[in-house]
Amino acid sequence: TPRVHGIAVAADLGKGYTSNGGNNTVSVFDLKTLKATGTVPGGMNPDAIIYEPKSHRVLSFNGNSKDVTIIDAKTDKVVATVPVGGKPELAQTDAKGMVWVNIEDTAELIEIDAAKATVTRRLKMAGCEDPTGLAIDRKKGRLFAACSNKLAAVVDIKGWKLLGTAPTGAGS
């Protein structure tokens, strides 16, 4: 697992996945034995990785190729490569089919339908520079993006709007 950037767990399938920035792949391993079971080709410099349980898909977010590799976790085959128009950073899922990811160099948040392998919505986060970290409150339908300019942006998922920003301090 050269230069692992992230780990995704598909507990329902007994599998784990790592994004390997050192060789542009995703490694697959067995959760019980921790033994490698395969490698999936990915985009350039895979970084964040997430498992979306409803669609049984793994999404690997590739910084240098500015796209998302979408893998069928049942077959470990690439089903799509989706361009995102910038450098994807951290992602979150509602575990019901939707995935959100920060686009660092355009200060956007995008929504991806994992089953359809398409970007469904984009939102410019005014006032948020270089968003990296991303957290979700599934109960209230809020996303919290960590911005490099000492702020956190708060987004309403359902209404798809920026609710505001709050100070956080340095070092997002």
Side-chain angles (χ1 to χ4, degrees):
T1 55
R3 276 190 35 229
V4 170
H5 286 249
I7 301 170
V9 175
D12 59 329
L13 299 176
K15 297 180 180 182
Y17 298 83
T18 64
S19 59
N20 309 317
N23 68 359
N24 302 324
T25 65
V26 171
S27 293
V28 186
F29 63 94
D30 182 279
L31 288 178
K32 288 183 184 171
T33 67
L34 303 180
K35 301 255 186 230
T37 59
T39 303
V40 181
M44 294 171 54
N45 194 29
D47 192 0
I49 189 168
I50 196 166
Y51 174 65
E52 198 296 299
K54 183 176 179 191
S55 64
H56 300 285
R57 294 203 165 164
V58 174
L59 290 81
S60 174
F61 300 90
N62 311 307
N64 290 350
S65 52
K66 299 181 178 185
D67 56 22
V68 180
T69 302
I70 301 180
I71 302 164
D72 181 332
K74 291 182 178 180
T75 65
D76 296 330
K77 303 288 184 203
V78 174
V79 295
T81 300
V82 179
V84 294
K87 183 181 178 202
E89 273 295 319
L90 198 59
Q92 292 291 338
T93 181
D94 64 358
K96 296 177 184 177
M98 302 311 286
V99 175
W100 297 274
V101 63
N102 285 330
I103 306 299
E104 184 179 20
D105 52 348
T106 63
E108 291 178 289
L109 182 69
I110 65 167
E111 179 182 78
I112 299 169
D113 183 316
K116 293 179 181 176
T118 58
V119 173
T120 54
R121 299 190 289 185
R122 302 183 80 85
L123 178 68
K124 185 74 170 168
M125 292 188 289
C128 177
E129 296 174 9
D130 305 321
T132 52
L134 188 64
I136 187 170
D137 178 340
R138 289 185 183 104
K139 188 173 181 180
K140 293 189 178 182
R142 302 283 192 262
L143 290 164
F144 301 86
C147 314
S148 68
N149 57 329
K150 303 178 185 179
L151 296 172
V154 182
V155 174
D156 173 59
I157 296 169
K158 187 175 179 182
W160 200 241
K161 65 181 178 180
L162 179 65
L163 297 176
T165 59
T168 60
S172 64

